[in-house]
Amino acid sequence: MATPSYDPDKGDPRARLLELAEARGASLSSLSNLIGRNSSYLQQFIRKGSPKKLEEGDRRKLAEFFGVSEGELGAESVGVEEKSYTKASNLRDDDFIAVPRLPVMVSAGPGQFAAGETPFDNFGFSGRWLRDNGLDPKMLSAVSVEGDSMEPLLRAGDEVLVDRTPRPLRDGVYVVRLGDTLMIKRVAQPGAGRLTLLSQNLTYPPVEVALDEVEVIGRVVWKSGRI
């Protein structure tokens, strides 16, 4: 079913959400994960109208992420002026934080990922969303994915947010450097002093390495990609 263009007078929250997602370059599946739902939740909401409207908590998180009023996503007016995240007078300095997008490709070839890399653009993230997820903006960078080794989780052209904050290593998806190759892999620890680098695409075999053979750049904490 085709979704109509957003009309402010009619206030179609499904069309507005799709418009915001496309403008930000955020996939519906990643936004569903952001609000703690299964990956197809917002796709069903937009394409099939199920659920008929967003729950209050989901709507609030999405409004904060995009920096719009909840009314644009279906909140009903109750006769009190709703807080608008688009009004400069209501914005704090940390409401929106620019996270640098680096000209770096990961997953299928050599590359660089250094603090001195010059950003070519940035993503604007809600400061509250970053804080709620325990993320320090100074330790975040966005890089692009290439290759098919992490499909279907990550596809070529997706961009990922990498948290370089030093933390104890735990199972998860990381950007790592092995020799001269920069890659994105799911990392597991099979035993002391060893790491296993796993591809989501099962045609790629696991790679087991010694801990001192690999440099862990940072953990992947968010993804964005076209539908």
Side-chain angles (χ1 to χ4, degrees), residues 16 31 33 40 50 58 68 71 74 85-88 101 138 146 165 171 184 209:
R16 182 54 172 156
L31 292 173
N33 293 333
S40 64
S50 177
D58 297 339
V68 300
Y85 291 89
T86 61
K87 294 181 181 178
R101 299 169 70 192
K138 296 188 297 295
E146 65 177 0
T165 304
D171 291 357
I184 183 168
V209 295

Side-chain angles (χ1 to χ4, degrees), residues 33-45:
N33 293 333
L34 170 68
I35 62 176
R37 300 285 187 172
N38 67 68
S39 59
S40 64
Y41 183 79
L42 291 178
Q43 182 82 12
Q44 296 289 325
F45 169 66

Side-chain angles (χ1 to χ4, degrees), residues 140-160:
L140 299 174
S141 300
V143 298
S144 297
V145 175
E146 65 177 0
D148 63 354
S149 67
M150 291 300 288
E151 290 186 357
L153 178 65
L154 299 172
R155 302 182 184 278
D158 287 352
E159 291 189 69
V160 295

Side-chain angles (χ1 to χ4, degrees), residues 1-176:
M1 179 179 68
T3 303
S5 299
Y6 176 65
D7 183 339
D9 295 327
K10 295 180 180 179
D12 184 344
R14 295 178 301 126
R16 182 54 172 156
L17 177 57
L18 184 59
E19 181 182 71
L20 290 167
E22 291 176 345
R24 178 66 67 87
S27 68
L28 294 178
S29 60
S30 66
L31 292 173
S32 297
N33 293 333
L34 170 68
I35 62 176
R37 300 285 187 172
N38 67 68
S39 59
S40 64
Y41 183 79
L42 291 178
Q43 182 82 12
Q44 296 289 325
F45 169 66
I46 288 175
R47 302 299 182 189
K48 297 184 178 180
S50 177
K52 291 184 178 181
K53 64 179 181 178
L54 295 171
E55 292 188 7
E56 181 180 353
D58 297 339
R59 186 176 60 239
R60 181 171 58 251
K61 289 180 183 178
L62 290 169
E64 290 174 355
F65 177 76
F66 287 116
V68 300
S69 69
E70 290 187 44
E72 294 186 39
L73 299 179
E76 296 180 2
S77 175
V78 293
V80 178
E81 183 178 357
E82 183 183 351
K83 176 180 179 181
S84 172
Y85 291 89
T86 61
K87 294 181 181 178
S89 60
N90 289 336
L91 291 176
R92 300 188 309 274
D93 289 342
D94 61 351
D95 273 333
F96 294 100
I97 294 175
V99 173
R101 299 169 70 192
L102 302 182
V104 174
M105 304 292 287
V106 296
S107 179
Q112 300 294 321
F113 195 97
E117 198 73 53
T118 302
F120 69 93
D121 197 1
N122 62 72
F123 278 123
F125 281 87
S126 157
R128 178 174 175 177
W129 183 82
L130 294 176
R131 291 190 299 273
D132 287 347
N133 286 275
L135 300 174
D136 180 353
K138 296 188 297 295
M139 302 303 293
L140 299 174
S141 300
V143 298
S144 297
V145 175
E146 65 177 0
D148 63 354
S149 67
M150 291 300 288
E151 290 186 357
L153 178 65
L154 299 172
R155 302 182 184 278
D158 287 352
E159 291 189 69
V160 295
L161 194 62
V162 182
D163 179 14
R164 305 186 312 279
T165 304
R167 304 181 192 274
L169 192 65
R170 57 188 176 90
D171 291 357
V173 177
Y174 290 83
V175 172
V176 300

